[in-house]
Amino acid sequence: MAANIETMFYVRETPWHGLGTRVLTAPASKEALEVAGLNWKVVQEPVYTEANELIEGYKANVRDSDRKVLGVVTNRYKVIQNEEAFSFTDSLLGEGVRYETAGSLQGGKKVWLLARMPQDYIITGERISPYLVFSNTHDGSGAIKVALTPIRVVCNNTLNLALSSAKRSWSMIHTGDIQGKLEEAKDTLFKAEAYMDELGKEIEDLRMKRMSDQQVLDYIEILLPLDENMTAQQKKNIIRLQEDMKMRYFDAPDLKGVGKNAYRFINAVSDFATHAAPLRKTANYKENVFSRTVEGNPLIDKAYQMVCAA
């Protein structure tokens, strides 16, 4: 298995990258921890020079299952174990929470889980399911992040719109009063209903913005521009991507009844941004499968800004 997606599971439908363990029903936290390959702990150990001299102020984060060093951190760094991440989500969402996917990236340096929120929302006739995403790093490179990602049930694409009036995300560094900070996260995320209400208003506004076919084609060329300095192969690749995005707008069966409007366009761009295979499978492209799905996407943001400015 590739180095960036080390272990993971997913429910029912195989991701386009084809990695991970498939399960038929969303598991509870104990089983999810096992099937995701996250049933290990991080232990902190002192760091020494080659001359066996103690390096003051630093510790190594070591995975107990294979003794792999995940990173070197300061003494102030507090470890959040994988089990604690699931426990946090269990306590936030209540008994019976089910997990859609979870896994390990970069050899255990980064982990994530995705859990379905207990309540669906009907917004302008569509069922929107909020999911909670918890991501964590064990190498000292990043913060703990918790976010809501609303997903259209029909096509399974994210609708992470840049709403300024309602929070959907929260983060913290691995220092200080960790448990107190987690309580703050609960306070923020319990306001999910306010976020979904704002999302509903924004979706209705997008539905009211009519778009001509030519306007859609123009926007796609802005999002995926051709440049005169490109090679013939680069131009061919961009044209292929443009055709992919056009197909997701004009031909996707689940968008046929939406109407020709900005909401349909944002959905098509979102579906493209979160599901289209990359032109080049770079060293970290599989890691980007996670980040582009739950951590915001510049392509979706740009599309959103364009339709709002129109």
Side-chain angles (χ1 to χ4, degrees), residues 4 42 44 59 61 69-74 77-79 105-111 135-145 171-175 287 290 295:
N4 289 290
V42 176
Q44 293 192 308
K59 293 180 181 178
N61 283 353
V69 177
L70 302 178
V72 175
V73 298
T74 70
Y77 183 99
K78 306 284 182 64
V79 174
L105 299 166
Q106 296 180 332
K109 294 180 179 180
K110 187 172 186 177
V111 299
S135 65
N136 187 23
T137 59
H138 291 306
D139 63 350
S141 65
I144 299 164
K145 296 179 181 179
S171 65
M172 73 169 185
I173 58 176
H174 291 77
T175 60
E287 179 187 353
F290 168 72
E295 295 181 350

Side-chain angles (χ1 to χ4, degrees), residues 1 6-10 20-21 23 27 29-41 63-66 82-83 86 101-105 107-108 110-112 138:
M1 183 171 288
E6 182 185 45
T7 60
M8 68 171 286
F9 81 88
Y10 55 88
T21 300
V23 298
S29 59
K30 185 176 181 180
E31 182 187 356
L33 189 72
E34 298 276 343
V35 73
L38 296 177
N39 52 335
W40 42 266
K41 294 185 182 299
R63 181 161 60 181
D64 67 355
S65 60
D66 59 1
N82 299 335
E83 187 176 11
F86 281 93
T101 185
S104 167
L105 299 166
K110 187 172 186 177
V111 299
W112 88 94
H138 291 306

Side-chain angles (χ1 to χ4, degrees), residues 273-289:
T274 55
H275 292 93
L279 289 174
R280 293 176 60 248
K281 295 183 178 181
T282 58
N284 66 342
Y285 88 100
K286 293 185 179 73
E287 179 187 353
N288 291 336
V289 174

Side-chain angles (χ1 to χ4, degrees), residues 1-298:
M1 183 171 288
N4 289 290
I5 292 183
E6 182 185 45
T7 60
M8 68 171 286
F9 81 88
Y10 55 88
V11 177
R12 293 178 296 277
E13 192 172 333
T14 304
W16 62 260
H17 51 77
L19 300 176
T21 300
R22 178 174 179 263
V23 298
L24 295 179
T25 58
S29 59
K30 185 176 181 180
E31 182 187 356
L33 189 72
E34 298 276 343
V35 73
L38 296 177
N39 52 335
W40 42 266
K41 294 185 182 299
V42 176
V43 295
Q44 293 192 308
E45 299 183 2
V47 181
Y48 296 88
T49 67
E50 289 186 359
N52 204 33
E53 298 167 325
L54 177 67
I55 300 177
E56 298 284 353
Y58 291 90
K59 293 180 181 178
N61 283 353
V62 181
R63 181 161 60 181
D64 67 355
S65 60
D66 59 1
R67 300 293 302 160
K68 180 177 181 177
V69 177
L70 302 178
V72 175
V73 298
T74 70
N75 283 341
R76 297 175 59 218
Y77 183 99
K78 306 284 182 64
V79 174
I80 295 292
Q81 303 291 356
N82 299 335
E83 187 176 11
E84 291 180 280
F86 281 93
S87 296
F88 166 82
T89 308
D90 283 349
S91 64
L92 179 67
L93 301 186
E95 186 177 354
V97 59
R98 296 288 170 168
Y99 294 86
E100 295 288 321
T101 185
S104 167
L105 299 166
Q106 296 180 332
K109 294 180 179 180
K110 187 172 186 177
V111 299
W112 88 94
L113 61 86
L114 180 74
R116 186 165 181 166
M117 301 284 280
Q119 180 182 354
D120 286 349
Y121 294 81
I122 305 298
I123 297 177
T124 61
E126 291 195 81
R127 187 157 60 94
I128 308 292
S129 291
Y131 286 72
L132 182 138
V133 183
F134 189 111
S135 65
N136 187 23
T137 59
H138 291 306
D139 63 350
S141 65
I144 299 164
K145 296 179 181 179
V146 189
L148 295 177
T149 177
I151 297 177
R152 287 184 69 235
V153 171
V154 174
C155 67
N156 198 38
N157 68 341
T158 56
L159 293 170
N160 291 334
L161 301 182
L163 301 178
S164 59
S165 57
K167 292 184 178 180
R168 71 167 182 88
S169 62
W170 172 91
S171 65
M172 73 169 185
I173 58 176
H174 291 77
T175 60
D177 180 9
I178 298 296
Q179 292 306 315
K181 291 178 179 179
L182 289 175
E183 288 301 317
E184 290 178 18
K186 291 180 182 180
D187 290 341
T188 298
L189 295 168
F190 273 133
K191 298 173 183 175
E193 189 167 344
Y195 171 75
M196 295 303 293
D197 287 344
E198 290 297 320
L199 181 66
K201 294 175 187 176
E202 189 63 23
I203 288 175
E204 186 59 32
D205 287 345
L206 292 172
R207 282 183 181 273
M208 297 301 293
K209 288 179 177 286
R210 303 301 175 189
M211 293 183 66
S212 68
D213 289 353
Q214 187 58 53
Q215 192 175 14
V216 170
L217 296 176
D218 291 344
Y219 280 1
I220 289 174
E221 289 186 4
I222 293 172
L223 292 174
L224 300 168
L226 287 167
D227 188 277
E228 60 182 14
N229 296 322
M230 289 179 174
T231 65
Q233 184 60 50
Q234 287 173 328
K235 290 181 179 179
K236 182 179 178 181
N237 289 340
I238 293 297
I239 290 172
R240 179 172 71 79
L241 291 178
Q242 289 178 349
E243 291 302 316
D244 187 346
M245 191 178 289
K246 291 176 190 176
M247 179 274 295
R248 293 172 193 271
Y249 178 85
F250 289 106
D251 301 327
D254 58 284
L255 292 178
K256 290 291 187 181
V258 172
K260 293 186 176 182
N261 52 42
Y263 179 61
R264 178 172 178 166
F265 181 68
I266 291 295
N267 270 279
V269 175
S270 176
D271 192 47
F272 172 87
T274 55
H275 292 93
L279 289 174
R280 293 176 60 248
K281 295 183 178 181
T282 58
N284 66 342
Y285 88 100
K286 293 185 179 73
E287 179 187 353
N288 291 336
V289 174
F290 168 72
S291 62
R292 67 184 176 170
T293 300
V294 300
E295 295 181 350
N297 187 287

